[in-house]
Amino acid sequence: MLHFVYGMDRPGTGPLRMELLEKHWAYMDGYVKQLTARGPTLNEDRTEATGSIHIVELPDLAAARAFAFDEPNFQGGVYDPVLLLRYEDTLGGTMWQHASGAGEGFLLIGHATPGTLPPAAPAPARGTLARGELFSHEDGGWLGTVVLVEAPQVRAADVLPGRYDEVEIHPWQMGGRR
């Protein structure tokens, strides 16, 4: 079962994040075969991290909670809140299989009204690295769509066609050890 984990940085925790970087990477090294996508979200000028996303294959919600909440950045106080949802892949493969090598792009999250149905997955936009639907672990209801796209700029309508209550767009870059 795939899970989408988005830890959002608390304001002012950049130095703490840097202090915990090696612990974070060492922790993620233990999940490297289960990761479909990963990387930090960034501020507008891409100079500071604002959060971190992971799409990870784990057997159940208990394992996903352990992954999210035993993670050093969460334990150390960098992340608050953490979004943890079931992720249903509509693209296939991993971000590394789709990447061109630029390594920078955007995370888009389309939030939907609970109880609505997901739209049919469109053909992926150019540069799409990951695309999937988000579902509640509690009741299985559809909550929205996530797309990672490798591009110098992005328009939500090009990447997330359909009706969403809100669309978040975050600068993002591929993560992991260099």
Side-chain angles (χ1 to χ4, degrees):
M1 175 184 297
L2 286 167
H3 305 270
F4 176 76
V5 182
Y6 180 21
M8 292 160 252
D9 288 14
R10 290 184 313 112
T13 57
L16 178 58
R17 176 188 260 275
M18 292 308 297
E19 181 182 316
L20 295 170
L21 186 61
E22 183 54 39
K23 287 181 181 179
H24 167 79
W25 283 350
Y27 183 80
M28 290 302 152
D29 287 347
Y31 292 93
V32 76
K33 291 184 179 176
Q34 291 110 305
L35 288 166
T36 298
R38 69 189 283 191
T41 55
L42 305 166
N43 63 357
E44 290 301 318
D45 65 4
R46 296 180 175 270
T47 59
E48 295 179 35
T50 60
S52 191
I53 69 103
H54 297 89
I55 300 172
V56 60
E57 176 82 32
L58 296 165
D60 53 33
L61 178 56
R65 283 187 175 138
F67 172 85
F69 300 116
D70 291 344
E71 195 278 333
N73 283 339
F74 179 79
Q75 289 289 310
V78 174
Y79 301 150
D80 186 24
V82 173
L83 180 63
L84 171 60
L85 297 170
R86 188 169 59 80
Y87 176 89
E88 194 171 289
D89 187 8
T90 59
L91 181 64
T94 70
M95 72 176 193
W96 299 278
Q97 292 169 314
H98 299 290
S100 71
E104 289 189 347
F106 295 89
L107 163 69
L108 290 88
I109 305 173
H111 297 276
T113 302
T116 59
L117 297 174
R126 185 168 186 231
T128 301
L129 303 180
R131 185 185 192 289
E133 305 302 336
L134 299 173
F135 296 90
S136 165
H137 282 101
E138 286 71 36
D139 66 10
W142 178 64
L143 299 174
T145 305
V146 165
V147 179
L148 287 173
V149 62
E150 190 178 43
Q153 53 189 327
V154 68
R155 286 181 353 121
D158 295 339
V159 178
L160 271 178
R163 296 175 56 185
Y164 296 93
D165 295 336
E166 176 188 358
V167 176
E168 293 179 48
I169 302 175
H170 302 276
W172 170 86
Q173 71 182 26
M174 294 178 78
R177 294 187 187 273
R178 304 284 178 246

